[in-house]
Amino acid sequence: TWDPDVKIKRIPLPLPMVLNEISFFRSYVNSLLINGKVILPRFERLFLDDGVHDYPDVDLLANYERQVEALYREAGYQPIWANADHLVTYGGTWHCLAAQVPRL
């Protein structure tokens, strides 16, 4: 059933990138929520064995971050940005990384 209290917010999705027939995907949803804070992935440039590569939407990254930060603040979280370029090469960022930590 439809719930009038549920609000759906769209978070910007950076463009995928293909280099050397390998796809790289980035997402601001792949974040980590901890004690009222959100660790958000920051994407600056991709470092690979064959060199440094700018993302295809490099000119839009600052705008994406402003939108993402506003959405998370509106939801009550304090944003903390942490570079995740090295994690993109493994197919995930902060949430994917933390999902592998066992509960103690």
Side-chain angles (χ1 to χ4, degrees):
T1 61
W2 180 72
D3 184 344
D5 295 326
V6 174
K7 306 275 188 253
I8 296 174
K9 301 287 185 168
R10 297 193 185 274
I11 294 180
L13 182 65
L15 293 173
M17 183 174 185
V18 179
L19 287 171
N20 306 324
E21 299 182 25
I22 300 171
S23 298
F24 299 94
F25 298 95
R26 301 164 289 150
S27 172
Y28 295 108
V29 176
N30 200 330
S31 58
L32 199 54
L33 306 173
I34 304 171
N35 300 327
K37 295 177 177 47
V38 58
I39 299 174
L40 292 164
R42 173 166 278 151
F43 308 110
E44 294 173 337
R45 52 181 56 95
L46 199 54
F47 293 87
L48 301 175
D49 291 340
D50 67 346
V52 179
H53 303 274
D54 284 331
Y55 293 109
D57 52 358
V58 67
D59 295 336
L60 301 174
L61 293 178
N63 187 43
Y64 291 159
E65 286 188 6
R66 278 191 297 276
Q67 292 177 53
V68 169
E69 189 164 319
L71 288 166
Y72 278 104
R73 284 189 187 282
E74 183 181 325
Y77 294 96
Q78 176 189 351
I80 299 170
W81 292 95
N83 186 286
D85 291 318
H86 58 292
L87 297 175
V88 170
T89 60
Y90 297 105
T93 59
W94 301 118
H95 184 269
C96 290
L97 181 69
Q100 307 309 315
V101 177
R103 181 175 289 204
L104 301 176

